[in-house]
Amino acid sequence: MKITYFGHACFLVEFGGKKLLFDPFITANPLAKGIDWQQIKADYILITHGHQDHVLDVEAIAKNTDATLISNFEIITWFSEKGLKKSHSMNHGGKFSFDFGSVKYVNAVHSSALPDGSNGGNPGGFVIWGKDGCFYAAGDTALTEDMKLIPLTCPKPDVAILPIGDNFTMGYEDAAIAADFVQCNKVMGIHYNTFPPITIDTAKAQAHFAAQGKELLLPAIGETISV
């Protein structure tokens, strides 16, 4: 699979012959000023929770690409009222087979409210698997023992995409423990360095992972990596 990082918690995974875009927040992120959102092609947009720094560009990109939205019931309903009817709602513990592979919506420990104050439902993450392998996109979350259920109920991930910025989510130390819980030694870090409260020492974070025999991938904004 190929993963392109667009900054903050936004990335695109080429998987199962489709392009899966996660949590688009580009136009208000000064670190992503080199990204032209109109050039992003997406077949699906997956949304972990309702905060503005995860949904800001959903509507524009969905209308530009005719992408199908995947998220929880409350977020799908909110975007449906904006005219985005091409969607699929899920809830925690449920899985569904799409044309690119299987998706399971799993727990995240965070909060969720949409930009206008509407109920964003409960936050979550996604485990996705198919012919191209398996990956875990955790969304914004604290470290939780629920992660131990993932390798018991899904294939073991080839890569775990985890928040590492601390303050609003787990930091990189807890993310390394999360990697143990999901039995995955290859991690891609997200949700760091965008705002002052989540600025981290990236070299120290990578050294922490390396000391435990794990790899922490930190692609540059706009960079594509193969996993």
Side-chain angles (χ1 to χ4, degrees):
M1 72 188 85
K2 292 183 178 180
I3 305 174
T4 302
Y5 184 50
F6 291 123
H8 197 51
C10 180
F11 54 93
L12 184 142
V13 183
E14 297 177 49
F15 190 90
K18 300 295 180 180
K19 297 181 184 295
L20 316 180
L21 181 67
F22 290 77
D23 290 352
F25 173 73
I26 298 167
T27 56
N29 180 4
L31 301 181
K33 61 185 178 182
I35 303 299
D36 181 359
W37 68 266
Q38 296 181 76
Q39 298 302 311
I40 295 174
K41 306 299 181 187
D43 298 296
Y44 293 87
I45 300 175
L46 294 91
I47 307 159
T48 61
H49 65 290
H51 290 162
Q52 185 181 41
D53 60 328
H54 294 257
V55 305
L56 180 66
D57 298 315
V58 168
E59 185 176 358
I61 294 175
K63 289 179 177 177
N64 192 50
T65 62
D66 196 35
T68 298
L69 306 187
I70 301 174
S71 191
N72 66 33
F73 177 80
E74 290 80 5
I75 290 173
I76 291 300
T77 299
W78 191 74
F79 278 112
S80 177
E81 292 170 354
K82 293 178 173 292
L84 300 180
K85 305 293 186 182
K86 195 173 179 181
S87 59
H88 183 96
S89 61
M90 301 187 72
N91 216 322
H92 293 79
K95 66 177 183 298
F96 190 83
S97 294
F98 293 89
D99 55 359
F100 57 85
S102 297
V103 176
K104 188 165 187 176
Y105 190 60
V106 298
N107 288 344
V109 178
H110 197 59
S111 56
S112 181
L114 289 152
D116 64 358
S118 297
N119 177 20
N122 292 319
F126 298 98
V127 182
I128 298 175
W129 67 92
K131 63 179 183 179
D132 290 345
C134 178
F135 68 97
Y136 169 40
D140 282 12
T141 186
L143 178 66
T144 168
E145 287 199 330
D146 286 345
M147 294 169 178
K148 292 181 178 179
L149 297 174
I150 288 174
L152 299 179
T153 59
C154 306
K156 292 181 182 179
D158 300 299
V159 62
I161 302 169
L162 307 177
I164 59 171
D166 224 333
N167 195 75
F168 297 115
T169 68
M170 59 185 173
Y172 64 81
E173 300 95 339
D174 283 359
I177 299 172
D180 284 335
F181 283 2
V182 300
Q183 299 180 29
C184 179
N185 287 330
K186 188 182 294 289
V187 170
M188 178 176 139
I190 59 169
H191 209 278
Y192 69 97
N193 286 359
T194 315
F195 320 115
I198 61 172
T199 300
I200 66 169
D201 184 329
T202 55
K204 184 180 290 186
Q206 289 182 309
H208 182 80
F209 271 72
Q212 299 181 42
K214 299 179 177 67
E215 183 179 13
L216 178 60
L217 305 171
L218 299 176
I221 294 175
E223 182 181 356
T224 299
I225 61 174
S226 294
V227 177

